[in-house]
Amino acid sequence: MPLAMPAGTGLTRARIAEHRPRVAVPAGHPLAGRPAVAPGPAAGGAAHVVDLDPPVHVPVHALWPAHTTCPGRDLFLSRTEAVGGSGSLAE
């Protein structure tokens, strides 16, 4: 899979998940009345959260300074690998 957006200079990254993005629109917006509203009203009814249609999934990346070590980060990445993320490093 090609990298659409490389990590900045001095950073390392790993793809940890893919999520379906949603958009929040003002309650009076025409999209707020769609029958395919995701969780529905938000911000005390001032906004509605709407699923994008057709459904798309975007990668979620973890970023950290290159050439560093962190046992907690290594544990986190190993657990995301177990639940479907790649957990693999990409520079």
Side-chain angles (χ1 to χ4, degrees):
M1 166 168 61
L3 299 176
M5 188 171 67
T9 303
L11 294 175
T12 301
R13 75 177 188 173
R15 186 180 63 81
I16 58 172
E18 288 190 359
H19 285 207
R20 184 173 179 189
R22 295 181 166 96
V23 294
V25 297
H29 191 278
L31 290 176
R34 284 183 53 181
V37 172
H48 281 257
V49 178
V50 181
D51 282 324
L52 298 178
D53 192 25
V56 295
H57 289 82
V58 296
V60 176
H61 291 98
L63 297 169
W64 61 90
H67 313 296
T68 62
T69 59
C70 176
R73 179 183 64 224
D74 295 341
L75 177 63
F76 173 78
L77 292 174
S78 71
R79 290 186 177 173
T80 61
E81 194 173 73
V83 293
S86 73
S88 64
L89 303 180
E91 294 190 48

